[in-house]
Amino acid sequence: MGLLCDFCREQRSMVYCRPDAACLCLSCDRNVHSANALSRRHLRTLVCGRCNSQPAGVRCIEENVSLCQTCDWNGHGDSASALGHKRQAINCYSGCPSSAELSRIWSFALDFPPVADSNGEQGLRLSINENSISNCSDSPDNGRTVDLCSAGGVNNLDIIDNLDTWIGSSSNSAVAMMPCNADQLAGPVDLVTPKLCCTETRNHEICKDDGLNEDFNVDDVDLTFENYEELFGVSHNHSGQFIGDVGIDDLFEMDMSAANSNCQGTFTAEVESMQAACSHAASADSMMSNPGINADPNLCFSTRQAPSSLSLSFSGLTGESSGGDYQDCGMSSTLVMGEPLWYPPGPESSSFPTASRDSAVIRYKEKKRMRKFEKKIRYASRKARTDVRRRVKGRFVKAGDAYDYDPLCQSRSG
DNA sequence: GGCTCAAGTGAGACCACAGTGACGG
DNA sequence: CCCCGTCACTGTGGTCTCACTTGAG
């Protein structure tokens, strides 16, 4: 993946499709993801403005550049001058939004270039789902979905505004401004904070253990940039060293057992303390691959000192979650650390049952083993084509031949 | 404990075809 | 060294088949 669209190899890539692991221009993005209902559910986000290969998770206001977690870390974590840079989270989207709709989602992008649509349609459907706004999870089904029938482009803003209510914070009022300091090298933990502030109406839905969707909120973004070039046109090419970035949405599972009305401040404080604890950790892979280190992501830690007795656990490394999954989603690799980092000082932390610990290690090893068989899509274009190919008993058929399964319309020709 | 059988599980094959890379001119 | 044409190979997903595992009798 690089500067050019992975599909057409002509246009500059602008969005990153995580399920396809592909960087696409807006035109190909629409074409590819309008192929069928499944592809429309792919969550996409901006491509990192520096490395041009990873999905951007935050926007650096100072530099007017979208950054993936790695570049964000490299750019802000080790540079004294960059420590004070404010950053904002970037949402994902699904469906086939028009350029105007994209501009609404990413309000800082005021001038999206027109999207060439081979079908001549305008804004087929913009599906903004709760998860897609809040994170980059691959499982949009679990979130509420708002279908913005955007042909007329009417009321979309209203609906988006309503999303703020769902998220529990207005894009304007509660945008996660993220000052960077030395204790926040695990910067993306900032991205966790909004999710931790989930509202009453949705926290149960979010916090349930649904496998891949132990995700986190990224608040809606409402940055303002002068023009399109500021958003997409600048490639700084000083990404420096890469460290694997781990997606927190694949790692987090939240279990909020108490009322959440007052959880925001509490959780924010807790997460910040965790950030500090994690800031000096080594890379996740090195830790996880070391059998001598108890790095079970399922290990739970509780915020015992929190009035609401909130607890948090990590169980995202399922068989379905690949390295790419947690690489993509803005979670510092340091968050996949060993148990000691996760346990806040306190009586409980030293009395973690050995049996539970052993079983946790076993679970982790099993999941890690499963992960090795994760299928990685190497050619998004082939997948896109296969996704629309007709079959007979699961086998591809020649174009024009009789088929019994059509992915596009789920119909059978007999 | 050893054997047989049914049920459950998982891996691999199959298909078409556009994309990819190697190779020679 | 570069360009172009040719050709063999690759990868993609849903379904089926078969080998293997597990549990009961």
Side-chain angles (χ1 to χ4, degrees):
Chain A
M1 286 180 288
L3 206 58
L4 294 180
C5 169
D6 286 340
F7 194 79
C8 66
R9 298 288 179 187
E10 294 175 357
Q11 302 296 318
R12 178 190 175 90
S13 61
M14 295 179 186
V15 300
Y16 183 91
C17 174
R18 234 165 51 93
D20 290 335
C23 299
L24 302 170
C25 65
L26 292 179
S27 178
C28 291
D29 173 53
R30 271 197 95 186
N31 291 334
V32 168
H33 292 104
S34 62
N36 57 56
L38 293 179
S39 61
R40 269 194 290 272
R41 285 154 55 180
H42 288 181
L43 293 175
R44 286 97 74 195
T45 187
L46 290 172
V47 174
C48 173
R50 287 190 178 169
C51 65
N52 291 298
S53 64
Q54 294 292 318
V58 298
R59 179 84 189 178
C60 176
I61 300 175
E62 314 296 335
E63 302 176 52
N64 284 349
V65 62
S66 303
L67 299 171
C68 65
Q69 199 274 325
T70 298
C71 294
D72 176 41
W73 192 343
N74 290 335
H76 297 101
D78 55 3
S79 170
S81 62
L83 287 179
H85 286 190
K86 292 183 177 180
R87 293 164 291 155
Q88 291 186 314
I90 297 176
N91 335 340
C92 300
Y93 69 95
S94 62
C96 301
S98 66
S99 56
E101 291 160 346
L102 285 173
S103 296
R104 294 191 189 103
I105 302 171
W106 294 319
S107 54
F108 47 81
L110 296 179
D111 295 315
F112 273 93
V115 179
D117 187 348
S118 57
N119 299 326
E121 300 177 16
Q122 294 296 325
L124 297 175
R125 167 183 167 174
L126 170 59
S127 174
I128 297 180
N129 92 21
E130 188 173 65
N131 285 339
S132 68
I133 282 187
S134 61
N135 58 52
C136 299
S137 168
D138 273 339
S139 303
D141 284 343
N142 296 324
R144 294 189 186 91
T145 298
V146 174
D147 294 335
L148 303 182
C149 300
S150 54
V154 184
N155 292 333
N156 292 355
L157 287 175
D158 293 338
I159 298 175
I160 292 175
D161 286 342
N162 290 337
L163 291 176
D164 294 333
T165 305
W166 294 359
I167 297 171
S169 60
S170 162
S171 61
N172 293 324
S173 62
V175 166
M177 292 296 195
M178 295 178 285
C180 202
N181 60 49
D183 284 339
Q184 292 178 328
L185 287 180
V189 172
D190 286 318
L191 301 181
V192 179
T193 306
K195 164 123 187 191
L196 303 180
C197 309
C198 51
T199 61
E200 288 184 41
T201 57
R202 58 190 289 273
N203 65 66
H204 295 299
E205 186 175 345
I206 296 171
C207 301
K208 67 184 179 184
D209 183 4
D210 55 359
L212 279 177
N213 277 306
E214 311 86 352
D215 40 29
F216 66 105
N217 279 350
V218 176
D219 270 340
D220 202 353
V221 180
D222 192 15
L223 297 177
T224 299
F225 291 86
E226 289 303 317
N227 53 44
Y228 163 78
E229 282 301 323
E230 285 186 351
L231 176 62
F232 296 113
V234 182
S235 179
H236 293 277
N237 294 325
H238 50 82
S239 54
Q241 296 179 348
F242 281 100
I243 306 173
D245 30 342
V246 176
I248 193 169
D249 55 340
D250 283 329
L251 304 175
F252 265 92
E253 158 196 303
M254 297 200 305
D255 177 18
M256 295 187 168
S257 56
N260 291 277
S261 59
N262 61 346
C263 70
Q264 175 168 350
T266 302
F267 250 137
T268 303
E270 292 304 320
V271 170
E272 284 175 354
S273 69
M274 290 190 301
Q275 289 179 270
C278 297
S279 61
H280 301 296
S283 75
D285 282 345
S286 63
M287 297 286 283
M288 294 170 70
S289 60
N290 185 343
I293 297 175
N294 183 5
D296 184 12
N298 290 306
L299 293 176
C300 302
F301 65 89
S302 299
T303 56
R304 304 294 183 189
Q305 63 271 44
S308 55
S309 182
L310 302 170
S311 66
L312 205 56
S313 65
F314 294 79
S315 66
L317 294 181
T318 66
E320 296 86 4
S321 62
S322 66
D325 283 338
Y326 53 80
Q327 188 175 31
D328 289 344
C329 284
M331 171 64 177
S332 166
S333 57
T334 60
L335 286 178
V336 197
M337 289 295 102
E339 166 208 347
L341 291 176
W342 290 112
Y343 279 82
E348 289 89 347
S349 64
S350 60
S351 61
F352 187 66
T354 303
S356 299
R357 182 167 158 165
D358 290 343
S359 65
V361 171
I362 292 172
R363 285 201 307 274
Y364 161 65
K365 287 180 178 177
E366 179 65 16
K367 288 177 179 178
K368 185 178 180 181
R369 183 183 66 81
M370 294 294 293
R371 245 189 357 262
K372 292 180 179 178
F373 298 100
E374 164 76 12
K375 187 174 184 178
K376 178 176 177 58
I377 302 301
R378 294 174 60 185
Y379 299 99
S381 59
R382 292 179 181 179
K383 174 176 169 53
R385 201 172 47 253
T386 303
D387 282 341
V388 301
R389 180 158 292 163
R390 291 167 176 172
R391 301 177 174 89
V392 172
K393 292 185 177 179
R395 298 183 179 186
F396 300 129
V397 296
K398 291 181 180 179
D401 284 3
Y403 58 92
D404 65 5
Y405 174 71
D406 184 356
L408 281 178
C409 59
Q410 308 288 317
S411 66
R412 297 173 187 272
S413 65

